[in-house]
């Protein structure tokens, strides 16, 4: 199984979100042009600044003012290094907020792929439509994990059958079956 381009870039955004220093929501963004990653960003404090993970969020009117959003960090990375964003695409773990929506439009981003709905502001949706920026919901999938989980399940089942064939104590065997069932219930 091979990841589609959309899943590949969405996986990158989910990986990048793991660098987030926001305690409220970890978000990652990947800007792509011609199927090449040109920038990435995650939500967190300014470079060298205090992080929410260290001192808590600085919330005013329901928003953390310490945090720069992932989309904005990715666009600013392009600006910092002189990389054009005109006609690029962005893959984001969550639907962009209103402010990021406006920044993406101004940066010339033409497609926004997002994995999760998150407080989708009606005006952001309206602005994207007016600017002819296509928004595409791409739920994040991990098809390779499913294949590996099936392989692991098959292997464990074979081991348990071998133990049963060796006349293992039925109570001990039952505990192994229960543990395997609990482990794989999460994966499949």
């Amino acid at each position: 199984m091979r990841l589609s381009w959309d899943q590949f870039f969405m996986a990158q955004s989910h990986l990048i979100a793991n660098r987030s220093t926001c305690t409220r929501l970890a978000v990652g963004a990947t800007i792509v042009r011609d199927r090449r990653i040109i920038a990435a960003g995650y939500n967190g404090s300014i470079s060298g600044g205090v992080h929410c993970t260290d001192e808590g969020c600085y919330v005013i009117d329901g928003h953390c003012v310490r945090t720069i959003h992932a989309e904005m960090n990715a666009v600013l990375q392009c600006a910092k290094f002189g990389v054009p964003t005109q006609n690029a695409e962005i893959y984001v773990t969550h639907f962009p907020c209103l402010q990021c929506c406006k920044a993406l439009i101004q940066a010339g981003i033409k497609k926004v792929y997002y994995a999760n709905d998150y407080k989708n502001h009606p005006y952001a949706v309206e602005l994207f439509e007016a600017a002819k920026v296509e928004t595409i919901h791409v739920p994040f999938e991990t098809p390779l994990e499913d294949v590996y989980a099936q392989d692991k399940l098959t292997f464990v089942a074979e081991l348990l059958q071998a133990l049963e064939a060796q006349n293992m104590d039925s109570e001990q065997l039952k505990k192994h079956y229960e543990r395997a069932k609990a482990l794989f219930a999460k994966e499949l």
Side-chain angles (χ1 to χ4, degrees):
M1 280 190 154
R2 188 174 184 199
L3 288 174
S4 69
W5 284 110
D6 287 345
Q7 286 300 317
F8 174 75
F9 295 126
M10 194 58 75
Q12 293 294 318
S13 294
H14 278 81
L15 180 63
I16 291 160
N18 288 301
R19 289 280 307 155
S20 172
T21 60
C22 177
T23 58
R24 299 171 73 184
L25 182 69
V27 179
T30 305
I31 299 178
V32 174
R33 191 176 48 246
D34 300 323
R35 291 192 177 156
R36 299 290 180 260
I37 296 171
I38 61 172
Y42 54 87
N43 56 333
S45 302
I46 60 169
S47 297
V50 173
H51 296 289
C52 297
T53 51
D54 298 329
E55 295 196 13
C57 292
Y58 183 11
V59 179
I60 298 175
D61 296 327
H63 299 283
C64 181
V65 296
R66 180 177 286 140
T67 301
I68 301 171
H69 290 188
E71 303 92 325
M72 190 65 72
N73 266 329
V75 168
L76 291 171
Q77 186 180 61
C78 287
K80 186 175 185 177
F81 295 107
V83 178
T85 54
Q86 187 67 35
N87 295 319
E89 303 172 346
I90 191 166
Y91 289 79
V92 191
T93 57
H94 296 79
F95 192 87
C97 73
L98 180 57
Q99 298 307 317
C100 287
C101 159
K102 293 188 280 186
L104 294 174
I105 291 168
Q106 287 300 96
I109 301 292
K110 288 299 174 194
K111 288 186 182 177
V112 175
Y113 298 87
Y114 66 98
N116 301 294
D117 288 305
Y118 182 73
K119 300 181 181 180
N120 301 23
H121 197 287
Y123 188 51
V125 173
E126 184 181 323
L127 287 174
F128 278 141
E129 288 173 358
K132 295 185 178 24
V133 173
E134 192 175 352
T135 57
I136 303 152
H137 183 234
V138 178
F140 180 52
E141 301 168 1
T142 52
L144 295 178
E145 284 181 14
D146 291 343
V147 169
Y148 297 136
Q150 187 61 50
D151 286 347
K152 289 186 260 184
L153 177 62
T154 301
F155 176 70
V156 169
E158 289 169 359
L159 284 177
L160 291 172
Q161 289 170 354
L163 289 173
E164 192 171 1
Q166 295 294 319
N167 295 321
M168 178 181 228
D169 175 62
S170 63
E171 267 314 298
Q172 194 175 10
L173 188 60
K174 183 179 177 184
K175 287 179 184 178
H176 289 312
Y177 270 105
E178 291 299 317
R179 185 162 181 222
K181 184 179 175 181
L183 283 171
F184 289 101
K186 297 173 192 167
E187 292 190 28
L188 297 175

